[in-house]
Amino acid sequence: MKPMYINGEWLTSTDGQTIDVFNPATETVLDSVPNGSAEDAVKAIEAAHHAFQEWRWVTALERAEMLQQASTKLRQHFDEVVKLLTLEQGKAISENEEETEWVIGTLDYYAGLVRNYRGRVLPPAERSQFNFIIKEPYGVCACIIPFNYPLLLMIWKVAPALAAGNTVIIKPSDQTPLTTLRLMELVFDHFPPGVVNVLTGQGDRVGDVLVEHPQVPLIAFTGSTAIGQRIGALAAKRVKRTHLELGGKDPFVIAPDADVESAAEAIAYSALLNAGQVCTSTERIYVPHDKAEAFTGALSDFVATLRLGPGIERTTDIGPMSAPGYREKVINHIQDAKSKGAKILKGGTIPPNIDQGWFFNPTIMVNVDHSMLCMRQETFGPLIPIMTYRTFDEAIALCNDSDYGLGACLRSNDARLVKRFFEEVQAGTIWINDPLTDNYGGPFGGFKMSGNARELGEEGLESFLETKHVHWDFDDTVKDYWYPYT
Ligand code: NAP
């Protein structure tokens, strides 16, 4: 069993419970971790609160140096980290290399940003006054992470939180805690005890304690909209800061001017990356009516070339889904759509030739509409539902006909359509021609039920800094605008 990391110590759960962690490509147990209890959660909060009393006064330059050291160490242990991440998460090894490179880049980015971060001086209202804005850390930040990008989504929170002078409690998904724990040994071991903690355990055992405890002023959560709503409601009782990065149902519009062959490859990538388990996976495709046949033909041909297999094998393009429950949801969406008239062009089944692992064949579906679950709820799997449109107005209206607003993609080089798309579509990120790429400086987050937060960029650091206005009058004489008024 791999113990959890609290206050610089390796601990089991106080009640001895454990959770098995599986390799989704083989359905075998990789290792186990403590199933933390409410008592363990309090222990982590107290350790992080205690560590904060010192850590908050460590200068920004020293904190930047420590983040830079973490980045250097991760470079040194790159191959080991990538391998473990692939075994527990499942996606293709090249995607895990990319994830780990982004983790390194994020550490570098926030080390650089905090070195140059400044407050603000205001013009005073009176000659004797000096007004300025300073930024302060909040204290203990609970960072709750999903299974699909365990390191990336962790570091998007942890790097800016630490840079800003907060201490953190990382709560990884109970499906993917192993690589995060390994990073504590390999990469974060130079941080003082209690500054970075990893509390493993089921969300419903430790979640409420983290969210409700008075010594946790900020909860940074990435995960499903349902759990985000619960966290938001609980946190509101103490008017806590919550950063909620939630689910999506991203549209992809092929404009009338777009080339269907290259659009097919772009959509295969954005819909099937990580077996469709990306918050910004393309989950709704809108294609001009008169291009539908050419497009679906090109897409079917291209998808047929993609290879399913264990992520650890270099020949794999698409790995397994991370847990059987996620695969069930895809099957449910397909059955619902078929019962309402949808037609499967490709896939739709568990691959019969692979006898272990939670694989699902990439699936292309046509004749879909917005009455179907696959066009309304997050599917989070390798499903590509295609709908046709006749006018660009209709395409934009279809994009916006959703409770979600995380990302949206367009293939076009018609400047008038591009401008309309990025101005009118309600989403936190708009990708034109190159879907799903990130930029360290580009804030990422959702509109509508996809969340209320922004990670990365200056906004990502601001999220972990409280704002304080200092009003300082050098003249300590009695003011003529105080009492008495006569
Ligand atoms: P999830 O089920 O909501 O779980 C996310 C995290 O919350 C896990 O660590 C989970 O712990 C924990 N949790 C569960 N119940 C909790 C509770 N009552 N209180 C506090 N924490 C609790 O999400 P998931 O299935 O891991 O991830 C997929 C979802 O994440 C999708 O909806 C996807 O769109 C979304 N996502 C969003 C973004 C974004 O940036 N917007 C990025 C990636 C993923 P357990 O592991 O023990 O359940």
Side-chain angles (χ1 to χ4, degrees):
M1 195 211 30
K2 185 83 187 160
M4 59 188 164
Y5 186 70
I6 295 175
N7 206 20
E9 294 178 61
W10 294 96
L11 302 178
T12 55
S13 165
T14 42
D15 62 9
Q17 285 195 32
T18 59
I19 306 172
D20 286 339
V21 181
F22 289 86
N23 178 342
T26 59
E27 303 178 37
T28 54
V29 174
L30 270 176
D31 206 337
S32 62
V33 295
N35 190 3
S37 61
E39 207 179 315
D40 296 315
V42 172
K43 205 184 282 180
I45 293 166
E46 286 172 352
H49 180 71
H50 181 73
F52 177 65
Q53 310 315 317
E54 286 295 322
W55 176 249
R56 65 171 303 174
W57 303 119
V58 172
T59 67
L61 293 185
E62 284 176 79
R63 295 196 300 261
E65 191 52 44
M66 292 174 86
L67 290 175
Q68 205 72 71
Q69 278 177 41
S71 150
T72 305
K73 288 182 188 179
L74 184 50
R75 275 177 221 280
Q76 287 160 356
H77 297 285
F78 187 85
D79 291 344
E80 179 190 338
V81 168
V82 167
K83 186 175 173 205
L84 184 57
L85 184 58
T86 307
L87 292 176
E88 73 170 337
Q89 201 283 327
K91 62 186 178 291
I93 191 162
S94 58
E95 294 177 22
N96 288 308
E97 285 170 343
E98 204 179 339
E99 176 170 355
T100 307
E101 275 160 17
W102 274 92
V103 174
I104 292 169
T106 305
L107 286 162
D108 293 342
Y109 175 79
Y110 280 109
L113 191 62
V114 77
R115 280 191 185 100
N116 294 298
Y117 218 62
R118 289 179 291 272
R120 200 153 48 101
V121 178
L122 302 181
E126 300 288 338
R127 278 188 77 169
S128 61
Q129 292 167 357
F130 183 33
N131 290 70
F132 53 98
I133 312 294
I134 56 174
K135 297 283 182 170
E136 293 184 352
Y138 282 90
V140 180
C141 298
C143 301
I144 305 176
I145 316 297
F147 74 90
N148 60 335
Y149 287 91
L151 298 191
L152 186 73
L153 299 170
M154 179 273 288
I155 212 69
W156 282 8
K157 296 167 182 53
V158 169
L162 294 177
N166 302 280
T167 55
V168 296
I169 300 170
I170 303 165
K171 207 311 265 171
S173 162
D174 60 20
Q175 290 167 53
T176 52
L178 297 176
T179 322
T180 307
L181 286 168
R182 188 70 178 125
L183 285 200
M184 296 303 114
E185 293 170 288
L186 297 177
V187 172
F188 287 100
D189 58 326
H190 58 288
F191 283 81
V195 171
V196 186
N197 307 276
V198 180
L199 172 70
T200 56
Q202 287 166 319
D204 53 10
R205 287 218 331 152
V206 295
D208 288 1
V209 182
L210 290 177
V211 175
E212 291 189 299
H213 198 287
Q215 283 175 347
V216 181
L218 187 154
I219 297 103
F221 169 82
T222 301
S224 60
T225 295
I227 303 287
Q229 286 170 314
R230 178 188 168 85
I231 288 175
L234 276 183
K237 285 193 202 164
R238 300 191 72 93
V239 199
K240 291 186 179 193
R241 287 284 192 281
T242 51
H243 303 161
L244 303 175
E245 296 278 1
L246 309 178
K249 189 76 199 165
D250 283 14
F252 196 131
V253 174
I254 300 166
D257 68 294
D259 163 56
V260 289
E261 302 274 338
S262 58
E265 290 194 36
I267 284 172
Y269 173 73
S270 63
L272 301 176
L273 184 74
N274 196 357
Q277 301 168 116
V278 185
C279 53
T280 50
S281 285
T282 291
E283 296 211 352
R284 298 181 282 148
I285 289 91
Y286 302 109
V287 58
H289 189 71
D290 58 357
K291 290 198 160 194
E293 206 178 317
F295 167 71
T296 49
L299 183 65
S300 295
D301 290 349
F302 186 73
V303 168
T305 67
L306 301 177
R307 299 154 298 180
L308 250 63
I312 205 73
E313 288 175 12
R314 288 270 166 201
T315 47
T316 291
D317 297 310
I318 303 174
M321 301 198 63
S322 291
Y326 299 113
R327 190 167 65 175
E328 286 307 312
K329 189 172 182 191
V330 179
I331 293 169
N332 179 29
H333 280 197
I334 292 172
Q335 281 171 348
D336 170 77
K338 276 170 69 179
S339 73
K340 292 171 182 161
K343 185 175 154 211
I344 292 189
L345 282 191
K346 185 156 209 65
T349 52
I350 293 172
N353 55 335
I354 303 181
D355 56 6
Q356 55 177 14
W358 298 307
F359 292 91
F360 196 75
N361 278 322
T363 301
I364 302 174
M365 221 159 48
V366 293
N367 292 355
V368 300
D369 62 46
H370 279 209
S371 72
M372 299 173 185
L373 295 178
C374 68
M375 296 302 272
R376 301 223 75 95
Q377 293 181 5
E378 188 177 49
T379 308
F380 225 58
L383 177 59
I384 312 182
I386 302 165
M387 191 168 163
T388 60
Y389 69 86
R390 292 190 186 266
T391 65
F392 203 67
D393 283 346
E394 189 193 349
I396 288 181
L398 286 166
C399 287
N400 289 336
D401 179 25
S402 174
D403 290 337
Y404 297 100
L406 195 52
C409 301
L410 173 72
R411 287 289 292 185
S412 178
N413 268 328
D414 181 330
R416 282 164 304 185
L417 298 184
V418 170
K419 184 168 182 293
R420 281 201 61 194
F421 191 82
F422 70 69
E423 285 182 346
E424 294 177 37
V425 172
Q426 300 153 356
T429 304
I430 303 287
W431 284 285
I432 314 292
N433 294 329
D434 185 16
L436 267 57
T437 44
D438 288 322
N439 180 323
Y440 300 111
F444 178 89
F447 283 23
K448 302 194 270 187
M449 288 178 77
S450 290
N452 62 7
R454 289 296 178 274
E455 297 188 313
L456 291 179
E458 288 188 35
E459 289 86 347
L461 183 60
E462 282 284 331
S463 299
F464 290 95
L465 285 165
E466 184 64 287
T467 300
K468 188 181 271 178
H469 171 205
V470 181
H471 172 96
W472 181 3
D473 197 318
F474 305 122
D475 176 5
D476 61 357
T477 56
V478 172
K479 308 294 184 193
D480 59 7
Y481 43 84
W482 294 354
Y483 294 127
Y485 289 139
T486 53

